[in-house]
């Protein structure tokens, strides 16, 4: 039978979408004032200066990828010109600069401050989005605590619900799919552990969670196979047959059905569906994956 493998995939995500959405957000909110290019300053002097000079110098530091220096200038805009449009944009730029510097806690704090101060601003969706992304970027491998993953899931769902049809929602949905796969992977790891400890009943609960909550993820075929395996360990042949049939009906070309078919044959349990050669396995289209969620719930209610 297949070994008890543990997924160690650790998400590593680029920061392109955060930058693109930042540019989109700023393009929608134009400042009425405009200034020429100020002189470059190597350090801050705490004296009152034109807001345009402070803000533009902060933007120069962003272009230079001097994230911490950029934050210093944007924070100075906030201090000297609170509640102005310049201040609003500066907080947004602080969110982005902290994020680029991997200071996720600071970025989240700035995002939450903006949401509280300016709930109706056209820039607020970006603050909500970045709060979610800060947690998303901290997702760890499935062998560790998934607190960041669960928080990211909640905040990404909020984006989809608050801003349907927007770029924020579309990008959040893509990341939600990754989060679901991560959470399913964690359930699978725990379930495999219980099987290895000869605790099939505890394992079954984890595998059923994958099938009911995360059935559109890549872990579903293995979860069904592990249910077959666990039920056979407990001597519940009818339930093992049912799960093997669901696996064969939906994933006849998957290696996990091949393993389940072999296991059932060894136990003298004939299967109606023969495994397809792996080469004939086809990847379902996105529309088919959405349909799968409904029919799998009907065929395999839990």
């Amino acid at each position: 039978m297949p070994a008890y493998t543990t997924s160690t995939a650790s998400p590593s995500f680029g920061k392109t979408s955060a930058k693109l959405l930042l540019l989109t957000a700023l393009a929608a909110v134009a400042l009425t004032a405009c200034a020429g290019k100020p002189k470059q300053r190597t350090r801050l002097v705490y004296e009152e200066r034109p807001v345009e000079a402070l803000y533009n110098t902060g933007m120069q530091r962003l272009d230079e990828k001097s994230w911490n220096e950029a934050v210093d200038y944007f924070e100075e805009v906030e201090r000297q010109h609170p509640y102005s449009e310049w201040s609003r944009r500066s907080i947004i730029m602080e969110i982005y600069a902290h994020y680029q510097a991997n200071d996720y806690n600071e970025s989240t704090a700035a995002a939450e401050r903006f949401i509280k101060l300016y709930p109706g601003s056209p820039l607020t969706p970006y603050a909500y989005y970045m709060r979610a992304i800060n947690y998303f970027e901290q997702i760890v491998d499935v062998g560790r605590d998934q607190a960041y993953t669960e928080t990211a899931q909640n905040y990404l769902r909020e984006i989809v619900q608050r801003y349907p049809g927007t770029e924020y929602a579309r990008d959040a949905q893509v990341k939600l799919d990754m989060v679901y796969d991560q959470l399913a992977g964690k359930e699978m790891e725990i379930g495999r552990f219980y099987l290895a400890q000869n605790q099939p009943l505890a394992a079954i609960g984890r595998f059923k969670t994958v099938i009911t909550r995360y059935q559109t993820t890549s872990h579903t075929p293995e979860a069904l196979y592990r249910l077959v395996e666990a039920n056979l360990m407990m001597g519940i042949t009818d339930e093992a047959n049912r799960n093997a049939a669901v696996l064969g009906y939906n994933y006849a070309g998957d290696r996990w059905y091949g393993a389940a078919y072999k296991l059932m044959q060894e136990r003298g349990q004939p299967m109606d569906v023969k495994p397809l050669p792996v080469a004939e396995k086809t990847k379902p289209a996105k529309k088919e994956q959405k349909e799968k969620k409904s029919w799998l719930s009907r065929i395999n209610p839990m």
Side-chain angles (χ1 to χ4, degrees):
M1 70 181 64
Y4 294 105
T5 56
T6 300
S7 173
T8 58
S10 178
S12 176
F13 308 107
K15 301 192 173 183
T16 304
S17 58
K19 183 176 182 180
L20 292 176
L21 288 172
L22 172 65
L23 295 175
T24 302
L26 293 177
V29 183
L31 287 173
T32 56
C34 184
K37 185 176 181 181
K39 292 182 179 180
Q40 184 174 349
R41 306 184 69 152
T42 58
R43 66 184 182 89
L44 291 181
V45 177
Y46 292 96
E47 62 183 24
E48 187 172 349
R49 281 162 287 174
V51 63
E52 297 92 338
L54 288 170
Y55 184 87
N56 286 344
T57 304
M59 293 300 292
Q60 285 181 354
R61 296 298 182 267
L62 281 185
D63 289 340
E64 296 163 3
K65 295 181 171 47
S66 299
W67 312 119
N68 293 330
E69 289 183 28
V71 167
D72 289 340
Y73 280 98
F74 294 129
E75 287 181 343
E76 190 66 13
V77 171
E78 274 196 87
R79 283 191 288 268
Q80 293 191 20
H81 306 275
Y83 306 109
S84 66
E85 184 59 35
W86 291 102
S87 176
R88 296 181 194 182
R89 291 177 67 128
S90 290
I91 300 175
I92 291 294
M93 302 315 297
E94 288 171 43
I95 296 169
Y96 177 72
H98 280 307
Y99 169 73
Q100 288 290 352
N102 298 327
D103 295 331
Y104 299 120
N105 290 339
E106 293 296 327
S107 181
T108 297
E112 291 180 341
R113 186 167 79 254
F114 190 94
I115 291 168
K116 183 177 180 180
L117 290 173
Y118 309 110
S121 169
L123 294 171
T124 304
Y126 185 77
Y128 274 105
Y129 171 80
M130 288 303 299
R131 183 175 66 172
I133 297 307
N134 284 324
Y135 282 95
F136 180 79
E137 290 284 354
Q138 297 178 82
I139 292 176
V140 294
D141 65 82
V142 297
R144 299 171 63 185
D145 180 71
Q146 296 299 302
Y148 284 117
T149 310
E150 292 169 359
T151 303
Q153 175 185 231
N154 293 334
Y155 283 148
L156 288 167
R157 281 177 176 169
E158 184 179 20
I159 296 296
V160 173
Q161 293 167 0
R162 276 184 180 273
Y163 307 108
T166 65
E167 288 296 323
Y168 300 106
R170 284 189 281 272
D171 190 72
Q173 187 59 62
V174 170
K175 289 178 170 58
L176 262 178
D177 291 341
M178 299 180 190
V179 167
Y180 294 149
D181 202 78
Q182 181 80 357
L183 291 172
K186 182 64 176 181
E187 295 293 328
M188 291 300 301
E189 182 198 42
I190 297 172
R192 294 189 205 100
F193 171 80
Y194 283 137
L195 278 185
Q197 297 298 312
N198 198 31
Q199 299 180 51
L201 187 59
I204 284 172
R206 298 294 178 164
F207 300 138
K208 284 187 175 182
T209 295
V210 173
I211 294 169
T212 55
R213 294 185 186 177
Y214 311 116
Q215 59 189 240
T216 58
T217 70
S218 61
H219 297 280
T220 299
E222 183 186 354
L224 286 166
Y225 167 77
R226 298 299 182 187
L227 283 174
V228 173
E229 190 176 35
N231 279 296
L232 287 176
M233 288 174 67
M234 296 174 64
I236 309 176
T237 306
D238 289 346
E239 189 68 13
N241 266 314
R242 190 169 76 91
N243 287 294
V246 173
L247 180 56
Y249 182 80
N250 296 301
Y251 303 97
D254 194 282
R255 70 185 182 95
W256 291 110
Y257 180 59
Y261 184 89
K262 180 180 179 181
L263 189 59
M264 296 302 288
Q265 293 290 98
E266 291 173 353
R267 298 299 180 93
Q269 300 294 321
M271 302 295 298
D272 293 335
V273 179
K274 291 186 177 180
L276 295 176
V278 176
E280 294 184 23
K281 180 182 175 183
T282 57
K283 190 174 182 179
K286 290 183 178 179
K287 183 180 292 186
E288 292 173 339
Q289 289 175 340
K290 292 180 180 178
E291 293 172 352
K292 183 183 297 180
K293 184 173 183 178
S294 60
W295 56 247
L296 188 54
S297 298
R298 293 196 299 269
I299 295 173
N300 199 39
M302 300 202 183

